[in-house]
Amino acid sequence: MPEGNGDRTIRVLDPATVNQIAAGEVVERPASVVKELVENAIDAGARTVRIDITSVQGGISAIRVTDDGCGMSSADAELAFTPHATSKITAIDDLFKIHTLGFRGEALASIAAVAKVTLVTKPRGGTTVAGIRLIVIGGVQKEKGETGAPQGTSIIVEELFFNTPARKKFQKNLNTELARIHGILEGIFLAYPQVSFRFSHNNREQLVTDRTTQPLDTIARIFGNDCTRELVPVSSDLPFMRISGYIARPALSRKDHDRILVSINDRYISSAAVMAAVREGYGTLLPRDRFPVAFLSLAIDTRLVDVNVHPTKKEVRLSKEKEIGEAVREAVHSALMKNDLIPEVVVPRQQNRALDSAGIVSARITSGVAEPVVPYDSGARVHQADATYDPDAFTAPARIEPTHTGTVSTDNRLRQTELASGVPPVPAVMPALDVIGQVGGIYILAAAPDGELIIIDQHAAHERIFYEQVSRSMAARHAQELLVPAIIHRSPKDASILRELIPVLAQEGVVIEDFGSGSFLVRAVPAVMGKIEGPEMIDDLVSDLLNSDPTRPVSDRERITRIISCRSAIKAGTVCTLEQCQRIVNQLRTTRSPFTCPHGRPTMVRFSRAKLDEMFKRT
Ligand code: ADP
Ligand code: MG
């Protein structure tokens, strides 16, 4: 029991202390002040909002937010600093139909409790000529008077955390704080395209948007045209929710989910459920460790959204979270399926004139791949998501004749994916292509009707075809007995993992029996793999299974499907005849998601006619 606390009577804390405690929740850091002030400006119906940050000696010295909104009367200006004083709700019922960003009446009181706040305001259509100026320091009103002011409100926050040294000390460095402010403002600017915003630091403009009716303009303003070029629209109407916005083609992936920006009822929020749903909507269009770029706005029946979970309202509680997540995933998925997702090869402008030693202009996929896509290990080591001409990258000579046995085995593999039944046809999302030839036993060159050159990775393409057959057709998964059962041997550790996988494997058509002491008998493989594979292949498949990371967020079944597809697909380095190449391309066209392999890497890239003209200086 602690000593020196003789007096244990319960006392009600004085208001100043209460406010400081509350302030700790709302006003964590400078960025929270910015968020609250800007949200107030929006709630006040502002058309233009300015955010000015001043810093000296590596610390933020002033935050000023100026708006042309409704302003406040003299009495309201004073009330605004009183805890739980708000003009936005009057009773508890209002909490379930909130259409403003604020409603708790906490922010101004909390900020003023830990800083010096200067408020200048003049109400819209007010009778007074002058505005009101009010200074509150540490929760105590210090000055009140009249001043010349334009209509609207300007709030300056200085000496933040002057009376809470602990909090002040924990502020990260200036750049971290500015980055947080930037991040918060990005979300708000996107959610309010109808407002003009201007954010500056020490009089230098950082982020500016102009009021517009086109959300795409705001996205372009913040993230640039390179981003908007890759976006496809999303829209979906459901009884309880409307989804709208834009998502990027898979080429524009990122290694963080920091560019999945979602607003719910015009409030920029973070909802793990919604973010996960967006990612799931991409399915195998993205490598497993990549995240998409998405700007979505959800209008949800306000009764289903509880924003009163946390003082900063950054998190919301959603009733029907599962349905909402499913709807988002479905909307994202169908938006992607509706669009041509072939990444375009572009010639970087500054390198336009740079010829390599061989005198060939090198091109890169830069349009979208914000960061390089991590190559995966599929036995197709040579291909990279980068079309830079690199002579060393080719393992096979550019032109070799197919061998007889090679052709027969390729034919078998192709027939396997042509015959598999029970896969319902889907409308083609990629153009019909005419194969021109094959390069290096890996890449198929093809022409699209509009004069585009398309390059296809044959392994990735056939892998996609296999994958869809296995995952979409029960028949493809039926077990087919091997004429001669194969025996495989495994170490005790592997054997115990494999033993656990036996039931899952059986569901996928791989029938394995445990023979004890590390031996297993493989009796059957999925019909789609058919007779093409010998026992080595089964052994490899099991190795892949044992080596693949079981912690990654896909089911065992998904893992098995991907491995089967990869193992059964035509390998890179297999020389195909022109006719075989054409068959691969035709089959690819019957898939739902022809643009990426099941690991999310591109199956094809395009040189548009315009790009080709540009490269040959015909423009
Ligand atoms: P809340 O936003 O939750 O109502 P705040 O403490 O942020 O609480 O603001 C208190 C009140 O002050 C608001 O309800 C509003 O009436 C008024 N107010 C704050 N900022 C502005 C502004 N920029 N323009 C007009 N009124 C404002
Ligand atoms: Mg507020």
Side-chain angles (χ1 to χ4, degrees):
M1 196 166 283
E3 303 235 345
N5 185 8
D7 180 9
R8 308 187 130 268
T9 3
I10 298 181
R11 268 177 259 105
V12 175
L13 295 172
D14 65 89
T17 313
V18 171
N19 284 352
Q20 271 202 22
I21 294 171
E25 292 181 358
V26 189
V27 196
E28 255 177 335
R29 53 194 334 135
S32 3
V33 173
V34 173
K35 172 179 182 290
E36 294 297 335
L37 296 183
V38 174
E39 290 189 345
N40 278 347
I42 294 169
D43 282 346
R47 290 159 64 108
T48 312
V49 182
R50 293 191 51 139
I51 302 102
D52 298 291
I53 307 289
T54 313
S55 68
V56 284
Q57 293 163 356
I60 291 178
S61 54
I63 298 167
R64 180 213 298 262
V65 174
T66 309
D67 68 58
D68 59 357
C70 65
M72 284 174 265
S73 68
S74 169
D76 282 353
E78 263 179 70
L79 257 182
F81 289 98
T82 313
H84 310 298
T86 177
S87 55
K88 298 168 194 176
I89 58 171
T90 52
I92 187 71
D93 283 351
D94 294 344
L95 274 180
F96 299 98
K97 39 181 196 245
I98 286 168
H99 293 287
T100 49
L101 292 167
F103 57 84
R104 296 168 64 113
E106 261 173 354
L108 280 185
S110 301
I111 295 168
V114 293
K116 172 186 178 192
V117 178
T118 307
L119 166 79
V120 174
T121 188
K122 191 170 112 177
R124 195 176 278 166
T127 45
T128 48
V129 198
I132 297 119
R133 182 160 177 274
L134 204 73
I135 297 181
V136 183
I137 303 175
V140 183
Q141 185 176 315
K142 295 285 182 187
E143 252 184 74
K144 185 176 181 189
E146 291 198 340
T147 180
Q151 183 217 295
T153 304
S154 166
I155 295 184
I156 308 173
V157 177
E158 293 159 300
E159 292 165 44
L160 185 60
F161 304 130
F162 77 96
N163 53 356
T164 51
R167 194 162 290 259
K168 194 178 177 90
K169 213 165 69 200
F170 282 114
Q171 295 310 308
K172 294 262 175 51
N173 68 40
L174 177 65
N175 285 335
T176 315
E177 289 307 317
L178 288 172
R180 277 188 185 260
I181 292 173
H182 205 107
I184 282 182
L185 291 178
E186 270 176 5
I188 297 179
F189 291 9
L190 282 173
Y192 290 88
Q194 70 275 27
V195 178
S196 295
F197 293 99
R198 180 174 305 267
F199 161 39
S200 69
H201 169 227
N202 287 351
N203 292 322
R204 289 244 297 278
E205 262 177 17
Q206 306 292 315
L207 200 61
V208 178
T209 61
D210 296 315
R211 49 187 276 120
T212 169
T213 50
Q214 305 295 324
L216 207 53
D217 293 345
T218 312
I219 300 174
R221 202 61 201 267
I222 301 176
F223 298 107
N225 289 328
D226 281 350
C227 172
T228 41
R229 239 194 311 273
E230 291 296 334
L231 298 180
V232 300
V234 180
S235 87
S236 166
D237 252 313
L238 296 148
F240 58 94
M241 165 164 82
R242 177 156 4 100
I243 306 173
S244 59
Y246 295 87
I247 57 173
R249 294 190 181 87
L252 197 72
S253 70
R254 292 174 70 79
K255 69 176 191 306
D256 266 310
H257 53 60
D258 60 345
R259 210 153 284 171
I260 303 178
L261 293 151
V262 181
S263 67
I264 294 185
N265 298 343
D266 293 335
R267 186 188 300 279
Y268 163 59
I269 51 99
S270 77
S271 155
V274 175
M275 296 238 239
V278 173
R279 174 64 187 87
E280 280 167 27
Y282 278 75
T284 56
L285 285 172
L286 284 177
R288 69 192 154 89
D289 51 359
R290 306 288 299 180
F291 293 89
V293 172
F295 308 101
L296 292 182
S297 103
L298 316 185
I300 306 179
D301 184 337
T302 50
R303 284 166 305 184
L304 300 178
V305 185
D306 185 357
V307 275
N308 193 23
V309 182
H310 190 263
T312 66
K313 311 174 212 95
K314 175 95 206 284
E315 278 160 40
V316 294
R317 190 178 297 133
L318 300 170
S319 324
K320 289 205 186 192
E321 188 171 85
K322 201 159 149 259
E323 289 85 340
I324 290 172
E326 250 155 45
V328 169
R329 194 187 54 204
E330 193 42 47
V332 166
H333 182 73
S334 67
L336 289 167
M337 291 303 114
K338 264 190 253 151
N339 284 278
D340 170 352
L341 303 177
I342 311 175
E344 161 126 56
V345 174
V346 301
V347 187
R349 249 170 239 306
Q350 62 278 34
Q351 287 175 27
N352 249 353
R353 251 148 228 108
L355 305 183
D356 70 9
S357 54
I360 298 172
V361 178
S362 60
R364 294 193 295 134
I365 309 178
T366 55
S367 64
V369 190
E371 297 139 53
V373 171
V374 185
Y376 74 105
D377 196 354
S378 66
R381 263 165 247 285
V382 270
H383 58 201
Q384 310 248 313
D386 184 334
T388 307
Y389 176 66
D390 176 2
D392 299 332
F394 291 86
T395 48
R399 282 202 64 80
I400 24 173
E401 293 305 314
T403 61
H404 176 67
T405 43
T407 304
V408 171
S409 125
T410 301
D411 261 347
N412 279 338
R413 283 169 197 262
L414 282 174
R415 199 166 313 120
Q416 217 55 45
T417 41
E418 260 154 6
L419 294 183
S421 53
V423 180
V426 288
V429 287
M430 62 175 263
L433 303 177
D434 272 332
V435 170
I436 302 164
Q438 191 204 34
V439 188
I442 304 165
Y443 297 113
I444 298 170
L445 305 187
D450 45 3
E452 292 183 329
L453 171 65
I454 311 280
I455 304 182
I456 297 149
D457 176 324
Q458 73 185 26
H459 172 75
H462 201 223
E463 209 178 355
R464 163 56 66 184
I465 298 162
F466 244 103
Y467 174 81
E468 292 211 4
Q469 300 233 327
V470 179
S471 43
R472 287 168 59 202
S473 146
M474 274 313 286
R477 283 204 300 275
H478 282 161
Q480 182 171 65
E481 275 199 32
L482 292 171
L483 289 178
V484 185
I487 295 172
I488 54 179
H489 303 280
R490 288 288 151 176
S491 71
K493 179 171 153 273
D494 284 3
S496 72
I497 304 176
L498 186 53
R499 226 168 274 131
E500 271 171 37
L501 286 170
I502 286 179
V504 201
L505 280 165
Q507 278 170 21
E508 302 310 308
V510 183
V511 181
I512 298 186
E513 247 172 67
D514 183 4
F515 248 50
S517 49
S519 295
F520 295 86
L521 198 64
V522 184
R523 289 203 176 278
V525 297
V528 73
M529 285 169 74
K531 302 171 192 78
I532 56 176
E533 300 302 347
E536 326 77 61
M537 151 75 192
I538 311 294
D539 214 19
D540 289 346
L541 188 146
V542 171
S543 299
D544 282 353
L545 255 178
L546 297 174
N547 291 331
S548 67
D549 177 6
T551 60
R552 61 193 199 185
V554 293
S555 59
D556 281 339
R557 160 166 214 184
E558 178 68 18
R559 233 152 34 99
I560 293 167
T561 307
R562 289 185 194 177
I563 292 169
I564 290 175
S565 316
C566 183
R567 282 288 165 189
S568 316
I570 294 171
K571 301 278 171 297
T574 306
V575 183
C576 298
T577 64
L578 217 55
E579 187 252 340
Q580 288 172 335
C581 292
Q582 187 68 57
R583 280 162 73 191
I584 297 175
V585 172
N586 294 350
Q587 288 183 27
L588 183 62
R589 197 156 175 264
T590 66
T591 63
R592 257 194 207 143
S593 255
F595 307 108
T596 59
C597 78
H599 306 270
R601 297 182 338 92
T603 52
M604 56 182 119
V605 299
R606 69 142 53 98
F607 288 79
S608 69
R609 178 56 203 270
K611 264 318 154 207
L612 289 170
D613 287 349
E614 189 186 325
M615 291 165 79
F616 286 98
K617 313 263 179 277
R618 284 187 161 275
T619 42

